[in-house]
Amino acid sequence: MAESADPPRATSAPEPGRPLSAGVAILATAVAVINLLVGGTLTAVALTGHVLGAWPSPDPLSPGLIGAGMLGTAPALFGLGRTRTWEQARTLVLPLVVVLAGLFAVSLLNAGRLYLARGGPIVSVLFSLGWLFVLGLLCVGAAVCVTGQLLHRSGPQIPRTAPLPGWSKPPLAVLGSSWLGIGTGLLFRPGFWADFVPWHTNRVDAQALGVWALALGVGVLGALAEDDLDRTRPALLSLPGTALAMTVVLAARAPHVDWSSGPALGLVVMVAGLLTAGASGRLLLKGGAADGAMRSTG
C-alpha cells in the first residue's frame, strides 16, 4: 500500500514593507542624544548673545539656528526607534544623512577656517576638534547603517492608508522647493547667496545654514512623494519642533535681523510653513485615527 504524501507546510507571509534595521534605530538615537546636548548648548549660548562653534561667526544667530535645527529634530529622532518599517522612517532618515554628510563636507572644505587650524580660545579649539571627529564618525555610521538597511529583504509593498489631502500638495511643493532652492544656493554659491541672509554671516555660516535648508527641503518634498501621513509620522514631529526652536532664536536676536528686507519676510513665511505643515499633519493623523475608531465601534 502506497504511503500518502505529507501535506505541504504552510508558510507565513512576510510582513509588508522593509523592516527597519537595528542599526538605523541606534544611529537615530545616538544622533538624537548628540543633537540634544550640542544643539542645546549652541542654542543657549546664542540666546545669551555669545558665539560658540567650530569656526568664528560674525553673529551668534547663525550657530544659534544650527543648534536650533539640531535641538528641534531630537524628539523625532528619539521616536524613530518605535517605527517598524523603513518606509515610515526614510522621510526623516534621508534628511538626517544630508545634514551629517553636508556639515562634514562643509567642515572639511573650510578646514583652514576652523578654530582647530587657526587657533583661538581653548574651548573653541576643543569644540572644533570634537565637531570634526564626531561628524566624521557619524557619517561613517550613517553610510554603513543605511547601506545595510537598503540590503534588507523587503516584503510586500505597504499600502497607503492615509493619503495627503489634495489641498495640501501645492503648498507642500512650494514650501519644499523653497527650502531646497535656498539651501542649494547657500551651499554651492555662498558668496552670492549669503547677501540674501538678513543678518551678518560668513562663508562657512552660509554653507552650514544651506545644508540645513537643503535637508528641510528634502524632508518636505520626501513627504510629498510618500503621499501618506502614516509613513511621514516621525518626520511630522520634527517640523514644528525645528520651527519653534528657530523662532525662539530669531526672536531673541531680533535686533540683529533686517526685518524690512524681502529675505526676512520670506524666512518668516517659510518657518511658519514648517510649523503649519507639521501641526496640520498631526491633526489629520489624529482625525483619521478617531474616524477609524468610530467606524470600528459602529
Side-chain angles (χ1 to χ4, degrees):
M1 183 176 180
E3 295 182 358
S4 60
D6 292 336
R9 295 181 179 178
T11 58
S12 58
E15 291 287 333
R18 192 186 301 270
L20 186 68
S21 68
V24 172
I26 293 172
L27 173 70
T29 303
V31 175
V33 172
I34 294 170
N35 280 3
L36 199 61
L37 297 175
V38 178
T41 301
L42 289 175
T43 304
V45 171
L47 293 178
T48 63
H50 296 85
V51 176
L52 175 65
W55 55 84
S57 297
D59 192 281
L61 193 49
S62 293
L65 287 176
I66 294 171
M70 299 172 70
L71 193 60
T73 55
L77 290 171
F78 275 122
L80 199 67
R82 298 192 295 271
T83 303
R84 296 186 302 104
T85 65
W86 168 245
E87 287 80 0
Q88 294 171 312
R90 59 190 174 192
T91 49
L92 183 59
V93 175
L94 294 180
L96 171 63
V97 172
V98 170
V99 169
L100 294 177
L103 288 180
F104 187 57
V106 166
S107 300
L108 289 181
L109 290 172
N110 296 280
R113 295 181 171 91
L114 301 183
Y115 281 114
L116 182 62
R118 62 184 296 169
I122 185 62
V123 173
S124 299
V125 173
L126 291 176
F127 186 91
S128 179
L129 176 63
W131 174 272
L132 204 58
F133 176 77
V134 172
L135 270 180
L137 196 62
L138 289 176
C139 282
V140 173
V144 171
C145 293
V146 173
T147 301
Q149 174 67 74
L150 296 178
L151 294 177
H152 259 226
R153 187 175 179 180
S154 179
Q157 187 175 5
I158 299 178
R160 286 174 168 81
T161 57
L164 297 174
W167 57 263
S168 68
K169 295 180 181 180
L172 282 177
V174 173
L175 179 65
S177 300
S178 299
W179 282 109
L180 188 73
I182 290 173
T184 303
L186 286 171
L187 182 59
F188 293 104
R189 292 200 61 190
F192 175 78
W193 284 91
D195 292 337
F196 291 93
V197 178
W199 60 84
H200 293 299
T201 60
N202 56 24
R203 178 184 178 86
V204 197
D205 284 340
Q207 289 187 309
L209 291 172
V211 168
W212 271 102
L214 188 66
L216 289 171
V218 169
V220 173
L221 293 178
L224 187 63
E226 292 289 354
D227 193 17
D228 187 79
L229 287 168
D230 189 58
R231 292 189 184 189
T232 59
R233 189 185 298 266
L236 286 174
L237 182 61
S238 68
L239 294 183
T242 303
L244 288 173
M246 292 174 66
T247 300
V248 170
V249 174
L250 287 169
R253 302 297 300 169
H256 294 254
V257 180
D258 182 11
W259 295 109
S260 62
S261 65
L265 177 61
L267 178 63
V268 170
V269 173
M270 290 163 63
V271 172
L274 293 178
L275 182 60
T276 303
S280 60
R282 301 294 298 182
L283 288 175
L284 287 170
L285 273 173
K286 289 182 179 180
D291 291 342
M294 289 178 64
R295 284 195 297 268
S296 64
T297 57

